[in-house]
Amino acid sequence: RKEVEQDPGPFNVPEGATVAFNCTYSNSASQSFFWYRQDCRKEPKLLMSVYSSGNEDGRFTAQLNRASQYISLLIRDSKLSDSATYLCVLNTDKLIFGTGTRLQVFP
Amino acid sequence: GAGVSQSPSNKVTEKGKDVELRCDPISGHTALYWYRQSLGQGLEFLIYFQGNSAPDKSGLPSDRFSAERTGGSVSTLTIQRTQQEDSAVYLCASSFGTGGDEQYFGPGTRLTVT
């Protein structure tokens, strides 16, 4: 079983839609979690950290469920510029990246 | 300030040749990571350096791969006797510390082995 699993998508949604991605992880000792964003043929960049209490940054909300070992990312009011691949990342003694979920927002 | 830089941005080489990929981390970052990303795939961890500690080489796929970091700054990833399956984007990242610190990625080197 992979340490981090994500639905590869693609998720095709219209502008203004709300979309959510889930990511499951197998290592219960993971200390912290992140969502990174990767645009096509670009390097990954940190989108947000994920805290136990959940956290929100504008249109983006990240939540952690330790009991079920998953994290989620919710994007509200999708914009065309949100089109990218979203990488779920967990931290053990180093960062472990998921293969990503591709989002395509259309007009 | 300057971000992570990598060179070359693209490299085409013949099977069997050796290649060297360079990474200049952000000044002051003590941790440096190398990853590989094949087309449509996730990031595959290769190796990481933290300060003066022995590097974590657990992700290197074979003994044809090696890396060094001189003076705690610049790093070079060397692939000997390249194979076609080595074709990928090689990404370098650095962070202020390890663990949960944000990793800043360079633009990558796209390696094509013909």
Side-chain angles (χ1 to χ4, degrees):
Chain A
R1 182 185 175 186
K2 290 182 180 178
E3 289 190 82
V4 182
E5 298 206 53
Q6 295 184 251
D7 180 342
F11 285 61
N12 295 303
V13 303
E15 274 187 292
T18 294
V19 62
F21 311 133
N22 280 342
C23 162
T24 58
Y25 62 93
S26 59
N27 188 335
S28 60
S30 300
Q31 296 299 310
S32 51
F33 307 85
F34 308 91
W35 284 101
Y36 274 68
R37 169 189 170 133
Q38 186 172 26
D39 292 283
C40 187
R41 300 177 76 90
K42 297 287 189 180
E43 69 274 21
K45 292 184 179 179
L46 179 66
L47 177 65
M48 59 196 306
S49 303
V50 185
Y51 305 125
S52 296
S53 56
N55 53 308
E56 186 173 316
D57 182 2
R59 298 182 293 109
F60 298 83
T61 300
Q63 292 194 310
L64 166 64
N65 185 317
R66 284 194 185 271
S68 300
Q69 295 187 201
Y70 76 83
I71 68 174
S72 64
L73 177 67
L74 180 78
I75 306 174
R76 290 180 297 276
D77 188 23
S78 299
K79 311 292 184 191
L80 295 177
S81 57
D82 294 335
S83 299
T85 296
Y86 291 84
L87 304 171
C88 172
V89 184
L90 65 95
N91 171 41
T92 53
D93 58 341
K94 54 181 176 284
L95 296 187
I96 309 295
F97 285 79
T99 54
T101 298
R102 192 155 67 88
L103 172 66
Q104 183 66 49
V105 182
F106 58 87
Chain B
V4 178
S5 61
Q6 292 186 243
S7 61
S9 55
N10 282 283
K11 176 72 177 178
V12 180
T13 190
E14 292 180 352
K15 178 182 171 181
K17 300 285 189 183
D18 297 351
V19 294
E20 283 190 354
L21 312 180
R22 178 187 168 105
C23 172
D24 282 90
I26 293 173
S27 178
H29 279 191
T30 62
L32 185 148
Y33 307 78
W34 282 100
Y35 298 89
R36 177 169 72 174
Q37 189 171 33
S38 301
L39 187 62
Q41 302 298 311
L43 273 71
E44 176 187 1
F45 166 77
L46 299 177
I47 185 171
Y48 98 88
F49 299 87
Q50 169 56 41
N52 295 320
S53 303
D56 177 347
K57 305 179 181 180
S58 60
L60 294 178
S62 78
D63 59 7
R64 296 186 296 104
F65 289 72
S66 62
E68 62 178 24
R69 188 180 185 191
T70 54
S73 181
V74 172
S75 178
T76 302
L77 177 70
T78 301
I79 309 174
Q80 296 178 309
R81 305 180 302 281
T82 52
Q83 304 295 313
Q84 288 185 331
E85 61 263 29
D86 299 335
S87 297
V89 176
Y90 289 80
L91 290 158
C92 174
S94 71
S95 65
F96 188 72
T98 55
D101 287 0
E102 177 180 358
Q103 294 187 13
Y104 294 82
F105 283 82
T109 294
R110 184 172 299 276
L111 175 66
T112 303
V113 182
T114 61

